[in-house]
Amino acid sequence: MKRYLRLAMTTTALFTLAVTARAADVPHISGGIGIDGREELRAKERDYNVKIITATKSGAYLSGVQVVIESAKKEPMLETTMAGPILLAKLPPGPYTIKATAGGQTLTQTVAAEAQGLKQVDFRWGDAR
């Protein structure tokens, strides 16, 4: 029994590392809690080509949102949990599907990342989540 438990723990650890390594392929940062945090990210926007903002429909910002970005070929490019209401990512040019999950509700949008410029994607959830 211990051998199976050890194998399961090793498999879980390797899977976690694989997901983390995959996410590391796409440079990204998230945060933006408070005015200073938002200003810090705003100063870094020129280094990224996709900006994701998460909030309620009434305008209250959300953090802890789970984000999955997939290529047109359905390959996962980035899987992360946002540390604040703003995520900046540097994706290769092309079309992507972004899935953002908060409070058990997943919203989906598409974006065409370009080599230059910043594309913004806003996700808004109802206030009664």
Side-chain angles (χ1 to χ4, degrees):
M1 183 70 170
K2 285 184 180 180
R3 190 169 126 193
Y4 292 113
L5 182 58
R6 192 175 314 131
L7 178 61
M9 288 174 32
T10 301
T11 302
T12 301
L14 289 174
F15 177 74
T16 301
L17 288 174
V19 170
T20 303
R22 186 65 181 145
D25 292 345
V26 173
H28 67 283
I29 57 173
S30 68
I33 295 176
I35 294 170
D36 292 340
R38 286 190 295 279
E39 289 300 320
E40 181 181 327
L41 288 180
R42 189 170 292 133
K44 297 177 181 183
E45 286 180 355
R46 67 183 170 278
D47 298 327
Y48 299 90
N49 60 355
V50 173
K51 178 179 183 177
I52 298 170
I53 299 178
T54 57
T56 63
K57 288 183 180 177
S58 66
Y61 287 121
L62 294 176
S63 63
V65 175
Q66 296 174 335
V67 173
V68 175
I69 301 176
E70 294 179 341
S71 69
K73 295 179 182 179
K74 302 288 185 207
E75 297 169 331
M77 298 296 293
L78 175 63
E79 296 180 25
T80 190
T81 300
M82 294 174 60
I86 301 168
L87 181 137
L88 299 174
K90 179 69 174 172
L91 294 162
Y96 295 92
T97 299
I98 303 171
K99 297 176 184 176
T101 304
Q105 183 184 10
T106 300
L107 303 178
T108 303
Q109 292 193 46
T110 59
V111 66
E114 298 178 2
Q116 299 292 320
L118 185 68
K119 294 285 185 121
Q120 182 170 313
V121 181
D122 293 330
F123 287 96
R124 305 277 179 176
W125 285 266
D127 293 330
R129 290 181 306 113

